[in-house]
């Protein structure tokens, strides 16, 4: 039995186990593979986890370990190294190799959200591992971007800086933070929603709930919106290919 899983600190929000269980049933693999949610209080517990599950063939990585996991690995894919964040690890011959499949999900999602529109500039909300992947994809697409952080030392803007001038010059807004994620679905990033227009595009990497408050508030102003479920599916399939490539 091949085992796969997701590591993170708290995983009650995750749809990954359900997605892979359905995939295994659909493809007749339910007696060959399992996918488990593997909560770790600290990344230092990873070594013990690997000892306890010697059949673990690969795992995904989520908050807050996408950057912390890197020193635990034996090798990095070129894109994961460039991004500085890992969300997929292949376990083979006793070696751990890190990849970033978030970028596959981000590419697919931006294609769906933007269509043929070329965004003038993007605001990237958050500075964690998912933000790094978003910045990488935006740079590939020649979309200028600014980072928004609560800490002025980590971004180009704080949330208090988001006035009409900033909002009118950045028509793509991407939430890479966990704000609004279950069980805190009544929360949303503190951006000036009243300044949004039908020319704005909002992409929320949060997928639980499927309709986040960030997306709903944007839609109420006529903005185009997309949440993270499409990204989840795309990055999961990319991870599956890596584990079985």
């Amino acid at each position: 039995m091949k085992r796969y899983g997701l590591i993170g600190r708290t995983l009650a929000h995750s749809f990954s186990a359900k997605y892979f269980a359905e995939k295994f049933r659909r493809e007749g693999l339910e007696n060959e593979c399992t996918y488990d949610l593997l909560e770790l209080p600290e990344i230092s517990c990873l070594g013990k986890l690997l000892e306890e599950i010697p059949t673990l063939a690969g795992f995904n990585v989520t908050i807050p370990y996408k950057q912390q996991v890197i020193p635990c690995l034996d090798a990095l894919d070129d894109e994961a190294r460039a991004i500085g964040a890992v969300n997929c690890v292949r376990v083979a011959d006793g070696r751990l190799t890190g990849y970033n499949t978030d970028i596959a999900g981000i590419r697919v999602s931006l294609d769906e959200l933007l269509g043929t529109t070329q965004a003038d500039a993007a605001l990237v909300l958050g500075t964690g591992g998912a933000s790094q992947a978003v910045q990488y994809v935006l740079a590939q697409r020649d979309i200028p971007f600014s980072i928004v952080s609560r800490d002025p030392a980590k971004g180009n803007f704080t949330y208090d800086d988001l006035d009409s001038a900033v909002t009118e010059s950045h028509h793509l807004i991407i939430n890479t933070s966990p704000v609004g994620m279950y069980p805190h679905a009544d929360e949303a990033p503190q951006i000036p929603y009243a300044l949004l227009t039908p020319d704005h595009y909002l992409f929320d990497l949060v997928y639980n709930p499927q309709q986040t408050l960030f997306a709903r508030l944007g839609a109420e102003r006529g903005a185009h919106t997309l949440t993270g479920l499409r990204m989840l599916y795309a990055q999961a399939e990319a991870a599956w290919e890596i584990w079985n490539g």
Side-chain angles (χ1 to χ4, degrees), residues 18-170:
K18 178 183 177 183
Y19 178 82
F20 277 104
E22 291 174 351
K23 176 181 175 65
F24 296 155
R25 283 195 297 270
R26 187 171 63 249
E27 299 183 10
L29 299 172
E30 64 267 41
N31 295 322
E32 301 176 26
C33 303
T34 63
Y35 188 101
D36 303 298
L37 300 181
L38 306 168
E39 292 189 348
L40 298 179
E42 303 291 341
I43 194 61
S44 59
C45 300
L46 178 58
K48 181 179 179 182
L49 175 71
L50 294 171
E51 291 177 2
E52 293 174 347
I53 312 178
T55 55
L56 193 65
F59 56 91
N60 293 118
V61 184
T62 191
I63 297 170
Y65 300 139
K66 290 185 178 184
Q67 294 162 317
Q68 294 180 35
V69 75
I70 291 176
C72 305
L73 307 178
D74 299 296
L76 285 177
D77 168 75
D78 289 343
E79 287 189 316
R81 182 179 293 107
I83 293 166
V86 164
N87 77 316
C88 173
V89 176
R90 182 181 182 188
V91 184
D93 302 321
R95 288 174 57 81
L96 307 181
T97 304
Y99 300 82
N100 194 302
T101 63
D102 277 344
I103 57 177
I106 293 163
R107 287 169 179 151
V108 167
S109 298
L110 287 179
D111 285 344
E112 182 174 327
L113 176 63
L114 295 175
T116 59
T117 299
Q118 176 66 22
D120 53 359
L123 292 174
V124 181
L125 313 181
T127 59
S131 175
Q132 296 293 109
V134 165
Q135 294 171 47
Y136 181 83
V137 174
L138 291 174
Q140 285 188 325
R141 295 188 174 217
D142 295 321
I143 300 176
F145 60 86
S146 299
I147 309 302
V148 182
S149 173
R150 290 173 296 180
D151 183 347
K154 292 184 178 181
N156 305 100
F157 300 110
T158 67
Y159 289 89
D160 291 337
D161 295 329
L162 302 183
D163 56 16
S164 59
V166 175
T167 308
E168 290 170 6
S169 59
H170 296 76

Side-chain angles (χ1 to χ4, degrees), residues 187-202:
E187 299 177 4
Q190 296 301 302
I191 66 170
Y193 295 95
L195 298 178
L196 300 180
T197 71
D199 292 327
H200 281 91
Y201 294 78
L202 273 60

